[in-house]
Tab-separated table of all heavy atoms in Angstrom:
chain	number	residue	atom	x	y	z
O	1	LEU	N	-7.084	-8.321	4.148
O	1	LEU	CA	-7.183	-6.858	4.223
O	1	LEU	C	-8.283	-6.394	5.186
O	1	LEU	O	-8.133	-5.386	5.876
O	1	LEU	CB	-7.448	-6.276	2.835
O	1	LEU	CG	-6.276	-6.311	1.841
O	1	LEU	CD1	-6.718	-5.758	0.496
O	1	LEU	CD2	-5.086	-5.540	2.374
O	2	SER	N	-9.376	-7.159	5.239
O	2	SER	CA	-10.490	-6.743	6.094
O	2	SER	C	-10.156	-6.830	7.581
O	2	SER	O	-10.902	-6.312	8.414
O	2	SER	CB	-11.727	-7.593	5.800
O	2	SER	OG	-11.471	-8.965	6.045
O	3	SER	N	-9.042	-7.470	7.934
O	3	SER	CA	-8.666	-7.560	9.345
O	3	SER	C	-7.802	-6.385	9.793
O	3	SER	O	-7.499	-6.259	10.978
O	3	SER	CB	-7.903	-8.868	9.599
O	3	SER	OG	-6.625	-8.840	8.960
O	4	GLN	N	-7.444	-5.524	8.859
O	4	GLN	CA	-6.554	-4.409	9.186
O	4	GLN	C	-7.367	-3.209	9.676
O	4	GLN	O	-8.399	-2.850	9.115
O	4	GLN	CB	-5.710	-4.058	7.971
O	4	GLN	CG	-4.821	-5.237	7.544
O	4	GLN	CD	-3.969	-4.944	6.330
O	4	GLN	OE1	-3.870	-3.817	5.896
O	4	GLN	NE2	-3.343	-5.984	5.791
O	5	GLY	N	-6.866	-2.596	10.721
O	5	GLY	CA	-7.618	-1.581	11.452
O	5	GLY	C	-8.071	-0.397	10.621
O	5	GLY	O	-9.176	0.126	10.817
O	6	VAL	N	-7.247	0.049	9.695
O	6	VAL	CA	-7.617	1.222	8.905
O	6	VAL	C	-8.909	0.975	8.127
O	6	VAL	O	-9.740	1.874	7.960
O	6	VAL	CB	-6.468	1.643	7.959
O	6	VAL	CG1	-6.193	0.575	6.894
O	6	VAL	CG2	-6.787	2.976	7.294
O	7	TRP	N	-9.099	-0.266	7.688
O	7	TRP	CA	-10.313	-0.579	6.927
O	7	TRP	C	-11.530	-0.681	7.833
O	7	TRP	O	-12.649	-0.384	7.408
O	7	TRP	CB	-10.114	-1.853	6.105
O	7	TRP	CG	-9.190	-1.600	4.949
O	7	TRP	CD1	-7.935	-2.077	4.773
O	7	TRP	CD2	-9.443	-0.744	3.846
O	7	TRP	NE1	-7.392	-1.575	3.614
O	7	TRP	CE2	-8.301	-0.757	3.017
O	7	TRP	CE3	-10.546	0.042	3.443
O	7	TRP	CZ2	-8.213	-0.031	1.832
O	7	TRP	CZ3	-10.463	0.770	2.271
O	7	TRP	CH2	-9.311	0.738	1.479
O	8	HIS	N	-11.334	-1.083	9.075
O	8	HIS	CA	-12.449	-1.052	10.028
O	8	HIS	C	-12.957	0.378	10.191
O	8	HIS	O	-14.170	0.629	10.220
O	8	HIS	CB	-12.004	-1.601	11.391
O	8	HIS	CG	-11.760	-3.073	11.383
O	8	HIS	ND1	-11.361	-3.767	12.500
O	8	HIS	CD2	-11.862	-3.996	10.391
O	8	HIS	CE1	-11.227	-5.049	12.204
O	8	HIS	NE2	-11.518	-5.210	10.932
O	9	GLU	N	-12.033	1.319	10.307
O	9	GLU	CA	-12.405	2.727	10.440
O	9	GLU	C	-13.204	3.192	9.224
O	9	GLU	O	-14.239	3.849	9.349
O	9	GLU	CB	-11.146	3.596	10.586
O	9	GLU	CG	-10.415	3.438	11.903
O	9	GLU	CD	-11.156	4.099	13.049
O	9	GLU	OE1	-11.805	5.144	12.810
O	9	GLU	OE2	-11.120	3.560	14.169
O	10	ARG	N	-12.721	2.855	8.045
O	10	ARG	CA	-13.364	3.333	6.818
O	10	ARG	C	-14.725	2.684	6.607
O	10	ARG	O	-15.675	3.349	6.158
O	10	ARG	CB	-12.445	3.082	5.615
O	10	ARG	CG	-11.210	3.963	5.640
O	10	ARG	CD	-10.189	3.566	4.593
O	10	ARG	NE	-9.034	4.481	4.633
O	10	ARG	CZ	-7.913	4.295	3.926
O	10	ARG	NH1	-7.785	3.219	3.151
O	10	ARG	NH2	-6.928	5.160	4.007
O	11	ILE	N	-14.829	1.404	6.913
O	11	ILE	CA	-16.120	0.721	6.772
O	11	ILE	C	-17.144	1.308	7.742
O	11	ILE	O	-18.297	1.580	7.373
O	11	ILE	CB	-15.947	-0.795	7.000
O	11	ILE	CG1	-15.146	-1.417	5.845
O	11	ILE	CG2	-17.310	-1.483	7.134
O	11	ILE	CD1	-14.645	-2.814	6.137
O	12	ALA	N	-16.720	1.507	8.975
O	12	ALA	CA	-17.638	2.078	9.974
O	12	ALA	C	-18.083	3.479	9.569
O	12	ALA	O	-19.279	3.817	9.635
O	12	ALA	CB	-16.958	2.116	11.344
O	13	GLU	N	-17.132	4.309	9.150
O	13	GLU	CA	-17.476	5.665	8.719
O	13	GLU	C	-18.431	5.630	7.530
O	13	GLU	O	-19.357	6.439	7.437
O	13	GLU	CB	-16.206	6.443	8.347
O	13	GLU	CG	-15.456	7.010	9.537
O	13	GLU	CD	-16.295	8.016	10.314
O	13	GLU	OE1	-16.919	8.897	9.700
O	13	GLU	OE2	-16.339	7.889	11.555
O	14	SER	N	-18.208	4.707	6.624
O	14	SER	CA	-19.071	4.600	5.442
O	14	SER	C	-20.510	4.296	5.844
O	14	SER	O	-21.455	4.924	5.337
O	14	SER	CB	-18.546	3.501	4.501
O	14	SER	OG	-17.258	3.826	4.012
O	15	ARG	N	-20.686	3.328	6.720
O	15	ARG	CA	-22.039	2.981	7.162
O	15	ARG	C	-22.706	4.162	7.871
O	15	ARG	O	-23.880	4.474	7.617
O	15	ARG	CB	-21.990	1.748	8.068
O	15	ARG	CG	-23.314	1.374	8.727
O	15	ARG	CD	-24.462	1.282	7.739
O	15	ARG	NE	-24.218	0.312	6.677
O	15	ARG	CZ	-24.827	0.333	5.492
O	15	ARG	NH1	-25.697	1.291	5.207
O	15	ARG	NH2	-24.558	-0.566	4.584
O	16	ILE	N	-21.968	4.844	8.723
O	16	ILE	CA	-22.526	6.004	9.436
O	16	ILE	C	-22.938	7.090	8.442
O	16	ILE	O	-24.034	7.655	8.529
O	16	ILE	CB	-21.506	6.552	10.452
O	16	ILE	CG1	-21.287	5.549	11.593
O	16	ILE	CG2	-21.956	7.899	11.011
O	16	ILE	CD1	-20.054	5.847	12.443
O	17	MET	N	-22.082	7.383	7.486
O	17	MET	CA	-22.351	8.448	6.513
O	17	MET	C	-23.569	8.133	5.648
O	17	MET	O	-24.392	9.010	5.363
O	17	MET	CB	-21.121	8.680	5.637
O	17	MET	CG	-19.939	9.281	6.389
O	17	MET	SD	-18.358	9.056	5.520
O	17	MET	CE	-18.591	10.092	4.094
O	18	ILE	N	-23.690	6.872	5.239
O	18	ILE	CA	-24.843	6.483	4.418
O	18	ILE	C	-26.142	6.632	5.197
O	18	ILE	O	-27.133	7.179	4.695
O	18	ILE	CB	-24.678	5.033	3.909
O	18	ILE	CG1	-23.584	4.962	2.833
O	18	ILE	CG2	-25.997	4.502	3.340
O	18	ILE	CD1	-23.219	3.545	2.419
O	19	GLU	N	-26.139	6.142	6.443
O	19	GLU	CA	-27.365	6.218	7.240
O	19	GLU	C	-27.765	7.667	7.515
O	19	GLU	O	-28.949	8.026	7.467
O	19	GLU	CB	-27.181	5.461	8.562
O	19	GLU	CG	-26.954	3.965	8.397
O	19	GLU	CD	-28.113	3.252	7.707
O	19	GLU	OE1	-29.269	3.647	7.923
O	19	GLU	OE2	-27.843	2.309	6.943
O	20	GLN	N	-26.791	8.525	7.786
O	20	GLN	CA	-27.087	9.938	8.013
O	20	GLN	C	-27.716	10.562	6.768
O	20	GLN	O	-28.721	11.282	6.855
O	20	GLN	CB	-25.805	10.693	8.379
O	20	GLN	CG	-25.275	10.404	9.770
O	20	GLN	CD	-23.932	11.063	10.016
O	20	GLN	OE1	-23.128	11.231	9.093
O	20	GLN	NE2	-23.675	11.446	11.247
O	21	ALA	N	-27.103	10.305	5.620
O	21	ALA	CA	-27.593	10.905	4.374
O	21	ALA	C	-28.989	10.387	4.035
O	21	ALA	O	-29.855	11.151	3.594
O	21	ALA	CB	-26.624	10.605	3.232
O	22	ARG	N	-29.211	9.093	4.248
O	22	ARG	CA	-30.527	8.528	3.932
O	22	ARG	C	-31.614	9.145	4.811
O	22	ARG	O	-32.681	9.526	4.328
O	22	ARG	CB	-30.511	7.013	4.081
O	22	ARG	CG	-31.876	6.380	3.730
O	22	ARG	CD	-31.930	4.907	4.031
O	22	ARG	NE	-31.115	4.126	3.115
O	22	ARG	CZ	-30.027	3.453	3.462
O	22	ARG	NH1	-29.598	3.476	4.735
O	22	ARG	NH2	-29.347	2.760	2.576
O	23	LEU	N	-31.360	9.221	6.109
O	23	LEU	CA	-32.366	9.767	7.017
O	23	LEU	C	-32.705	11.216	6.677
O	23	LEU	O	-33.874	11.615	6.691
O	23	LEU	CB	-31.887	9.653	8.464
O	23	LEU	CG	-31.945	8.250	9.072
O	23	LEU	CD1	-31.225	8.224	10.405
O	23	LEU	CD2	-33.389	7.783	9.238
O	24	LEU	N	-31.694	12.010	6.357
O	24	LEU	CA	-31.953	13.408	6.015
O	24	LEU	C	-32.716	13.515	4.696
O	24	LEU	O	-33.622	14.344	4.557
O	24	LEU	CB	-30.633	14.180	5.933
O	24	LEU	CG	-30.748	15.687	5.712
O	24	LEU	CD1	-31.635	16.350	6.756
O	24	LEU	CD2	-29.362	16.335	5.714
O	25	THR	N	-32.382	12.663	3.739
O	25	THR	CA	-33.081	12.701	2.451
O	25	THR	C	-34.532	12.271	2.608
O	25	THR	O	-35.439	12.878	2.015
O	25	THR	CB	-32.356	11.812	1.423
O	25	THR	OG1	-30.982	12.202	1.345
O	25	THR	CG2	-32.988	11.948	0.048
O	26	LEU	N	-34.771	11.239	3.390
O	26	LEU	CA	-36.148	10.804	3.617
O	26	LEU	C	-36.936	11.867	4.375
O	26	LEU	O	-38.135	12.061	4.122
O	26	LEU	CB	-36.156	9.476	4.383
O	26	LEU	CG	-35.643	8.262	3.600
O	26	LEU	CD1	-35.561	7.035	4.513
O	26	LEU	CD2	-36.517	7.969	2.390
O	27	LYS	N	-36.284	12.564	5.297
O	27	LYS	CA	-36.963	13.663	5.989
O	27	LYS	C	-37.360	14.752	4.996
O	27	LYS	O	-38.475	15.287	5.044
O	27	LYS	CB	-36.061	14.260	7.071
O	27	LYS	CG	-36.725	15.416	7.817
O	27	LYS	CD	-35.754	16.181	8.698
O	27	LYS	CE	-36.454	17.373	9.350
O	27	LYS	NZ	-35.503	18.237	10.095
O	28	ALA	N	-36.450	15.087	4.080
O	28	ALA	CA	-36.759	16.104	3.065
O	28	ALA	C	-37.926	15.658	2.192
O	28	ALA	O	-38.832	16.449	1.886
O	28	ALA	CB	-35.524	16.379	2.211
O	29	ALA	N	-37.926	14.382	1.794
O	29	ALA	CA	-39.023	13.863	0.969
O	29	ALA	C	-40.341	13.922	1.726
O	29	ALA	O	-41.385	14.305	1.160
O	29	ALA	CB	-38.706	12.425	0.550
O	30	TYR	N	-40.315	13.552	3.003
O	30	TYR	CA	-41.523	13.607	3.835
O	30	TYR	C	-42.051	15.034	3.931
O	30	TYR	O	-43.263	15.282	3.803
O	30	TYR	CB	-41.202	13.050	5.227
O	30	TYR	CG	-42.292	13.285	6.250
O	30	TYR	CD1	-43.434	12.486	6.265
O	30	TYR	CD2	-42.180	14.312	7.189
O	30	TYR	CE1	-44.429	12.708	7.203
O	30	TYR	CE2	-43.177	14.531	8.126
O	30	TYR	CZ	-44.306	13.729	8.127
O	30	TYR	OH	-45.295	13.960	9.047
O	31	MET	N	-41.160	15.976	4.154
O	31	MET	CA	-41.588	17.364	4.275
O	31	MET	C	-42.145	17.896	2.958
O	31	MET	O	-43.130	18.644	2.946
O	31	MET	CB	-40.425	18.234	4.764
O	31	MET	CG	-40.032	17.974	6.203
O	31	MET	SD	-38.694	19.046	6.769
O	31	MET	CE	-39.516	20.656	6.757
O	32	MET	N	-41.551	17.522	1.844
O	32	MET	CA	-42.075	17.951	0.545
O	32	MET	C	-43.494	17.437	0.337
O	32	MET	O	-44.348	18.145	-0.201
O	32	MET	CB	-41.159	17.470	-0.574
O	32	MET	CG	-39.841	18.225	-0.638
O	32	MET	SD	-38.648	17.426	-1.721
O	32	MET	CE	-39.480	17.534	-3.284
O	33	ASP	N	-43.749	16.224	0.784
O	33	ASP	CA	-45.090	15.640	0.638
O	33	ASP	C	-46.100	16.284	1.578
O	33	ASP	O	-47.281	16.400	1.237
O	33	ASP	CB	-45.045	14.135	0.928
O	33	ASP	CG	-44.352	13.334	-0.166
O	33	ASP	OD1	-44.263	13.837	-1.296
O	33	ASP	OD2	-43.894	12.217	0.132
O	34	THR	N	-45.656	16.706	2.755
O	34	THR	CA	-46.604	17.142	3.785
O	34	THR	C	-46.740	18.651	3.905
O	34	THR	O	-47.849	19.161	4.105
O	34	THR	CB	-46.205	16.569	5.158
O	34	THR	OG1	-44.845	16.932	5.437
O	34	THR	CG2	-46.340	15.051	5.170
O	35	VAL	N	-45.624	19.381	3.793
O	35	VAL	CA	-45.700	20.840	3.969
O	35	VAL	C	-45.247	21.610	2.741
O	35	VAL	O	-45.336	22.835	2.715
O	35	VAL	CB	-44.888	21.301	5.202
O	35	VAL	CG1	-45.486	20.721	6.476
O	35	VAL	CG2	-43.406	20.912	5.073
O	36	GLY	N	-44.744	20.906	1.723
O	36	GLY	CA	-44.392	21.554	0.470
O	36	GLY	C	-42.923	21.922	0.354
O	36	GLY	O	-42.190	21.991	1.337
O	37	ASN	N	-42.525	22.169	-0.904
O	37	ASN	CA	-41.114	22.433	-1.208
O	37	ASN	C	-40.586	23.682	-0.502
O	37	ASN	O	-39.425	23.732	-0.094
O	37	ASN	CB	-40.919	22.597	-2.717
O	37	ASN	CG	-41.176	21.318	-3.482
O	37	ASN	OD1	-41.653	20.338	-2.916
O	37	ASN	ND2	-40.867	21.324	-4.759
O	38	LYS	N	-41.429	24.699	-0.378
O	38	LYS	CA	-40.950	25.958	0.188
O	38	LYS	C	-40.540	25.786	1.648
O	38	LYS	O	-39.493	26.282	2.074
O	38	LYS	CB	-42.027	27.036	0.056
O	38	LYS	CG	-41.553	28.422	0.447
O	38	LYS	CD	-42.593	29.482	0.117
O	38	LYS	CE	-42.069	30.880	0.457
O	38	LYS	NZ	-43.047	31.941	0.134
O	39	ILE	N	-41.348	25.074	2.409
O	39	ILE	CA	-41.023	24.842	3.823
O	39	ILE	C	-39.836	23.880	3.943
O	39	ILE	O	-39.036	23.972	4.884
O	39	ILE	CB	-42.248	24.291	4.583
O	39	ILE	CG1	-43.426	25.253	4.450
O	39	ILE	CG2	-41.919	24.057	6.050
O	39	ILE	CD1	-43.184	26.630	5.020
């Protein structure tokens, strides 16, 4: 199954989506620590 193209698309999209969400969440956490929840 892992050799079929549709799954390559889904796996790639999954990795991209996770990395995007993680980076944005870590940015939010950093900002909460440095400039506060309101900012």
Side-chain angles (χ1 to χ4, degrees):
L1 288 177
S2 60
S3 68
Q4 298 179 11
V6 65
W7 288 111
H8 289 180
E9 290 287 326
R10 291 170 178 173
I11 291 166
E13 280 298 314
S14 297
R15 173 51 58 202
I16 292 166
M17 292 161 68
I18 288 172
E19 296 299 325
Q20 288 174 328
R22 181 187 289 114
L23 285 170
L24 186 54
T25 306
L26 291 174
K27 180 191 177 187
Y30 169 78
M31 290 182 67
M32 288 168 63
D33 288 339
T34 55
V35 296
N37 293 9
K38 188 172 183 179
I39 303 299

